[in-house]
Amino acid sequence: MVGTARAGIQCYACHGTMVSGDYRPQDSTFRNISTGGFPGNHRTHLSNAATGDSCTVCHGNNAYLPSHRNGSIDMAGNINSSPATGAYSRGTSFAQSSTPAWGTCANVNCHFEKTTPPWGSSAFTSPTDCNRCHEAPPATLDAGSHARHDTYYPGPANCGTCHADHLAEVKPFAHATSAGKRDLAVSLHDPHNVAAGTYSGSVNEYLPSQNNIYGTCSNTYCHSNGTSVATGSIPANTTVTWGTAGPLACNACHGTPPAYANGSPKANRHAAHAAYSCNKCHANTTADGTTISNPANHVNKSYDVAQGSGVSFSYVFNTAGGSCSAISCHGSTGAQWGSTSCLGCHSVAQGNRTAVAAQLGGGSHHIQGTLTDAACYQCHWEANSDGSINPLYHGGTAAPGSAVDLVIYGAGTRPTTYTPGTTAIQYHYTSSVNRAGVRNITSHCLGCHSDQNNATQPFGDGKTPKAYAWDGSSVASRYAQSGTTTWGKYTSASWPNTAKKKITKAFSAHGNAAANSRGWDTTSGVDGTITNSSGAVNIECFDCHNSHGSGVSGITSRYSSATGRNKGGILKDTLAGRGGYSVTYQPYTTGSVAGKNRLNPGGSLCLDCHLTAAAGTTPWGYGATFGASQAITGYWDVPAYKGYTTAGAERRYPYKRLHAVSGGHFGASSPLTGTPMSTINGLCTPCHDPHGVSPTLGAKQQYAVPLLKGTWLTSPYKEDVAPATNASGTIRTDFGKEGIKFQIDQNTFTADLRGGAVSNLAFSNISTAAGLCVGCHTRSSLTNGTNHTWKSKDRIHEAVKGWKTAGGAVKHNYTCSKCHSPHSNATLPRLMVTNCLDGKHKGRVANNPAAAITGDGSGDERGCYGMATSSPTCTTTYSYLFASGSGRIPGYYYGGDNSNYQISCHETDTGSGTDQGWNNVTPWSN
């Protein structure tokens, strides 16, 4: 039977590869009759598992009969059933041709509704051609916030941060065929590709033609405050809606600066550094401190800390809080990030504030034992009791240079309520020290160092505020007292010949300066009216002491503290540019043993102030700071320091200046024959208390000025001096003679030089006149009561009131001050201020080998000769004056007119009428 022959074949028998059963037409750049290939992109659009049904996506009906071989190519009316009706540019049917003009697709979902390249174009390659459909990242079609995120995660390689990583797939573009027909693949990761966060927006409408309802991301690393870098846990966070115009401000994620609580969830001290812009510490991330200049160093799961312009440091990351070393703005020291302690910051200088921790670890410091931040609370309102910062009073870097709020301690307890002037006081300085503020600090200091806290241990270190007090009393009991006394004790008209010294001395010369007087001059020394040269400005605690501790080395105090032997006092030292000071200063060891002026820092601090008129080399000056018009030295003082090498007595009487410094308490003129009970050790405080005269002295306070730790009666005697003329008869006061120029009890307290010892004087009791002296130089070390050899130390000190018990009648009742200066002397050894009766100085010369100290004779006034003649003018009302006498000191005379004055001093003891010497120490002439 003749008919049509039929056989069932598969599509690949014609279009594909029969051997492998691959339905996909062969792609070729030309019509290849050998392979059947022709220009197209079938094999990049279909996988090798494609079936006949796969063709319908683009060509519509899959029920093709042999009749489809009609010379036309049919296309689906909506390619891939795209939401926006995808169409081929040549229509749904067009004629086959050996030289076809290839069309393009538009609005197809698989190309993100973007017009495709012409069919047969080169196949897309990954990742270069990712942007041929939706751009990489999307910039115009459904741009959202892709462009901003591309700044941080650039290019297709980083799409996997938020989406499935198609670049890792065998067919990187296979995901496109299902676009718009499945949920958008949103899978959030951090920069280390660890899944983190969720997206809340619509994921089934994301093609340009769809509604594209954007949402937000939650709990992502890249929009967190960054603390997870240290903690490993991302804190809850929600972003702004996707597509919101950017860039976001810094505080949208972490604050400006990052403001999360310190220690929760990690260390944070950004607020304390708010005065600095971000680029000071993150220079590789931001160049100007407000914008990101290098996104690669931002949101990268790392703390990129790098020094910026004007600062230097080295940073090491640590999950507990990184640390920096060699920090330029911390005095080139180190610090741990997030430290909440006072000392964590103030271990180094903050702005122009001094590094406190270094002081607290100095040679002398305020707190003993283990130093903790809690100790700051006792003195500062800026600290809480646990040592953390109290933001109510702590300005920090947000308010650099703020006043320091200091505690005024209560009775036995630290107050908890801030009341200005009662429980709190402020100290504020700018570029210089503020005197009002310095006075405020004194109120702060005395709040603790007062009688009400004598048994209190503010720091719990076993030490009370009076722990090192020599008299067991508080500083306030000495410094804050208002008592005064007259310096001289013989000021009335009843004592016409005394050195009256009628000026007022305050028991607290430093704390009550306006009531304290002092001074001397080169005309009358301290014998006549004394013009007050003292200032009226108080010396405050902070003038002599540091508040936290001192870096001064060497011997700083008489007592030994917990910090070491003779290492107390917390002496003042300053650093230029810190604390309002413009000078770097430390008291120091100076002088020498050979120069007999060896000073330790505890002594040089006093003399630096007493001998420096204005601040410059020192932080203060006796004149410019405290208002004194004269250096604070005694009339006899020669400290051989700061250019002072000449005593007042040497200026008044130049003949007394023969020797250099002979020694004193800063260096003995010669070895002592006995051992004192204590040593001076280059200090002033063995004898002086700079805080004031101790109330424990009771009624004897009046004899303990200035600022003495015991009694010392200033000399009631006028200064001894040699006769002005080298002539005979100088003992007389008539006929133009100058009279006696040495002062003893008899011509000071009575009118008769030849009288006996004067009794009933204030210094009749050595404990009143020189209790301070005999505390070191005991009576037994000065006179033994048995050796009465003339000129011996024992015999000389029998002249002290009450010390002569045998060996003849009592002739003198002297004070120690009659013969000795308390400080130093350039004229005589052993702190002596007199060598009276030494005739070799007649005429007030250093050494007169031809002094008129011998001979006797007679004569009349017309001949003008004889030891007792009248004045050199030879004029008198007497016709004749037959007389005899002596030129020695004190000398005598006997006149024919019955005017006579006969006295014997030391002739009996020396065995010579011309030798009145009484010791082996003071004669300085040969």
Side-chain angles (χ1 to χ4, degrees):
M1 179 177 175
V2 177
T4 301
R6 296 171 181 261
I9 61 174
Q10 298 298 321
C11 296
Y12 54 73
C14 297
H15 300 293
T17 304
M18 178 173 279
V19 175
S20 61
D22 191 336
Y23 278 78
R24 300 172 300 170
Q26 287 276 5
D27 294 326
S28 176
T29 56
F30 61 97
R31 185 69 169 111
N32 190 328
I33 61 175
S34 298
T35 63
F38 56 87
N41 302 103
H42 288 97
R43 294 210 167 191
T44 56
H45 280 65
L46 297 172
S47 71
N48 58 5
T51 66
D53 292 337
S54 302
C55 300
T56 63
V57 173
C58 296
H59 294 282
N61 185 8
N62 66 345
Y64 280 102
L65 298 174
S67 60
H68 77 280
R69 293 180 295 168
N70 60 0
S72 296
I73 299 175
D74 296 330
M75 299 299 296
N78 181 7
I79 297 174
N80 202 21
S81 301
S82 296
T85 309
Y88 187 63
S89 63
R90 297 195 65 186
T92 57
S93 181
F94 55 91
Q96 289 179 313
S97 170
S98 60
T99 58
W102 301 112
T104 60
C105 293
N107 296 326
V108 291
N109 68 308
C110 45
H111 280 265
F112 214 70
E113 300 179 348
K114 191 174 183 181
T115 300
T116 68
W119 183 257
S121 297
S122 299
F124 288 176
T125 59
S126 172
T128 303
D129 292 316
C130 290
N131 63 353
R132 301 291 291 275
C133 295
H134 49 56
E135 302 166 320
T140 56
L141 302 175
D142 191 21
S145 300
H146 282 101
R148 186 64 188 167
H149 285 66
D150 185 60
T151 303
Y152 291 92
Y153 307 118
N158 283 302
C159 294
T161 302
C162 299
H163 302 283
D165 185 8
H166 298 303
L167 298 185
E169 299 172 357
V170 176
K171 295 287 186 178
F173 297 107
H175 67 285
T177 60
S178 60
K181 299 180 181 181
R182 56 167 172 77
D183 286 348
L184 179 67
V186 178
S187 179
L188 306 180
H189 297 76
D190 68 16
H192 292 178
N193 204 32
V194 177
T198 58
Y199 176 68
S200 67
S202 172
V203 292
N204 58 7
E205 292 194 5
Y206 49 86
L207 295 178
S209 64
Q210 296 177 321
N211 291 327
N212 290 299
I213 300 174
Y214 295 140
T216 60
C217 293
S218 298
N219 305 328
T220 62
Y221 160 76
C222 49
H223 283 272
S224 72
N225 59 15
T227 58
S228 62
V229 174
T231 66
S233 176
I234 298 173
N237 65 84
T238 301
T239 68
V240 297
T241 301
W242 181 262
T244 299
L248 300 179
C250 298
N251 59 7
C253 298
H254 53 56
T256 312
Y260 52 89
N262 186 26
S264 178
K266 66 171 286 292
N268 183 23
R269 293 293 289 164
H270 281 101
H273 293 74
Y276 301 96
S277 58
C278 300
N279 56 318
K280 289 298 182 184
C281 297
H282 301 281
N284 290 344
T285 305
T286 173
D288 58 10
T290 57
T291 59
I292 303 302
S293 57
N294 187 353
N297 289 330
H298 190 227
V299 196
N300 61 347
K301 211 168 185 180
S302 174
Y303 298 143
D304 291 283
V305 180
Q307 62 191 32
S309 176
V311 299
S312 62
F313 58 83
S314 296
Y315 172 77
V316 176
F317 171 75
N318 187 291
T319 56
S323 60
C324 289
S325 59
I327 314 170
S328 60
C329 44
H330 283 242
S332 296
T333 61
Q336 183 174 10
W337 185 251
S339 174
T340 59
S341 67
C342 303
L343 300 176
C345 284
H346 291 283
S347 60
V348 295
Q350 297 295 335
N352 62 359
R353 299 191 192 277
T354 302
V356 167
Q359 290 187 334
L360 287 168
S364 171
H365 47 254
H366 225 134
I367 304 169
Q368 312 306 323
T370 302
L371 177 62
T372 66
D373 294 286
C376 302
Y377 173 76
Q378 299 300 323
C379 296
H380 292 277
W381 285 101
E382 290 87 346
N384 292 315
S385 58
D386 62 356
S388 61
I389 294 170
N390 185 339
L392 289 176
Y393 308 107
H394 187 265
T397 54
S402 298
V404 179
D405 292 278
L406 299 171
V407 174
I408 299 178
Y409 224 78
T413 184
R414 193 265 199 196
T416 56
T417 301
Y418 188 105
T419 305
T422 302
T423 64
I425 206 76
Q426 287 189 326
Y427 173 55
H428 187 258
Y429 61 85
T430 52
S431 59
S432 61
V433 175
N434 180 289
R435 290 307 300 175
V438 172
R439 286 194 296 273
N440 284 347
I441 293 178
T442 296
S443 299
H444 160 66
C445 297
L446 296 185
C448 192
H449 291 273
S450 58
D451 287 340
Q452 65 180 355
N453 286 308
N454 279 345
T456 304
Q457 294 184 23
F459 303 111
D461 55 6
K463 303 297 181 184
T464 66
K466 68 164 190 174
Y468 301 115
W470 68 273
D471 64 343
S473 71
S474 69
V475 170
S477 69
R478 288 168 273 147
Y479 180 86
Q481 63 185 319
S482 59
T484 62
T485 186
T486 302
W487 189 29
K489 304 306 178 187
Y490 299 92
T491 60
S492 72
S494 302
W495 314 104
N497 298 326
T498 59
K500 300 195 182 304
K501 302 179 180 177
K502 196 174 183 177
I503 58 174
T504 299
K505 289 289 187 184
F507 292 155
S508 176
H510 286 162
N512 189 18
N516 189 68
S517 300
R518 64 163 307 279
W520 54 266
D521 61 55
T522 57
T523 300
S524 60
V526 289
D527 292 343
T529 300
I530 297 175
T531 300
N532 181 27
S533 64
S534 181
V537 179
N538 285 352
I539 290 80
E540 308 292 343
C541 301
F542 201 52
D543 288 320
C544 301
H545 302 283
N546 281 359
S547 50
H548 300 96
S550 174
V552 179
S553 59
I555 295 174
T556 58
S557 66
R558 186 184 190 189
Y559 65 87
S560 294
S561 69
T563 56
R565 183 169 179 80
N566 301 122
K567 291 185 177 297
I570 315 181
L571 300 187
K572 192 71 180 179
D573 66 341
T574 64
L575 183 64
R578 299 283 186 264
Y581 290 99
S582 59
V583 59
T584 296
Y585 168 78
Q586 269 195 355
Y588 51 90
T589 300
T590 185
S592 65
V593 174
K596 299 171 185 175
N597 64 336
R598 182 70 167 177
L599 273 175
N600 280 311
S604 63
L605 173 73
C606 302
L607 294 187
D608 279 340
C609 184
H610 286 192
L611 302 179
T612 306
T617 58
T618 60
W620 19 238
Y622 66 77
T625 307
F626 304 111
S629 59
Q630 182 185 45
I632 316 300
T633 60
Y635 175 66
W636 292 100
D637 292 351
V638 187
Y641 183 64
K642 293 281 185 179
Y644 282 79
T645 57
T646 306
E650 297 171 313
R651 301 180 207 179
R652 183 182 180 190
Y653 299 114
Y655 82 93
K656 291 188 175 183
R657 188 180 187 186
L658 180 64
H659 296 311
V661 175
S662 294
H665 276 127
F666 293 146
S669 54
S670 59
L672 301 178
T673 58
T675 302
M677 299 300 291
S678 186
T679 59
I680 296 298
N681 218 6
L683 302 170
C684 299
T685 51
C687 299
H688 292 281
D689 186 337
H691 302 111
V693 178
S694 174
T696 62
L697 292 174
K700 292 182 179 179
Q701 273 190 293
Q702 63 176 312
Y703 301 107
V705 291
L707 298 176
L708 297 176
K709 289 183 174 178
T711 59
W712 162 270
L713 180 67
T714 184
S715 177
Y717 306 96
K718 293 181 179 178
E719 183 176 356
D720 290 336
V721 64
T725 59
N726 180 33
S728 303
T730 55
I731 192 173
R732 299 184 67 166
T733 57
D734 55 357
F735 300 112
K737 302 298 183 182
E738 59 187 293
I740 293 173
K741 295 300 180 182
F742 61 87
Q743 319 297 325
I744 60 176
D745 299 343
Q746 287 76 4
N747 66 338
T748 298
F749 297 103
T750 72
D752 189 357
L753 185 65
R754 296 172 294 184
V758 182
S759 59
N760 299 321
L761 299 173
F763 52 84
S764 295
N765 186 333
I766 192 68
S767 67
T768 297
L772 182 63
C773 302
V774 296
C776 285
H777 303 283
T778 62
R779 174 179 174 177
S780 61
S781 69
L782 299 174
T783 179
N784 57 23
T786 59
N787 179 20
H788 308 294
T789 302
W790 186 249
K791 295 186 180 182
S792 68
K793 176 184 69 174
D794 298 285
R795 176 64 179 267
I796 292 168
H797 286 95
E798 288 178 351
V800 176
K801 170 62 180 175
W803 282 13
K804 184 174 177 121
T805 58
V810 174
K811 293 294 185 181
H812 303 295
N813 285 326
Y814 288 147
T815 62
C816 294
S817 59
K818 163 58 184 170
C819 297
H820 295 284
S821 163
H823 292 139
S824 60
N825 193 283
T827 301
L828 299 172
R830 290 287 189 262
L831 293 173
M832 295 294 290
V833 298
T834 181
N835 68 327
C836 62
L837 306 184
D838 189 343
K840 292 183 179 181
H841 302 299
K842 291 188 74 172
R844 296 181 184 170
V845 296
N847 184 15
N848 184 355
I853 59 174
T854 62
D856 60 7
S858 61
D860 60 19
E861 66 163 332
R862 297 180 187 277
C864 293
Y865 67 93
M867 296 301 174
T869 53
S870 60
S871 67
T873 61
C874 298
T875 60
T876 180
T877 58
Y878 295 106
S879 298
Y880 295 96
L881 177 59
F882 297 99
S884 63
S886 168
R888 68 175 183 266
I889 302 176
Y892 66 88
Y893 64 89
Y894 181 81
D897 59 352
N898 293 320
S899 60
N900 63 81
Y901 199 98
Q902 300 182 56
I903 183 171
S904 175
C905 287
H906 301 154
E907 296 94 327
T908 303
D909 297 299
T910 63
S912 170
T914 60
D915 181 7
Q916 296 286 6
W918 49 274
N919 72 87
N920 295 314
V921 175
T922 62
W924 73 70
S925 59
N926 297 319

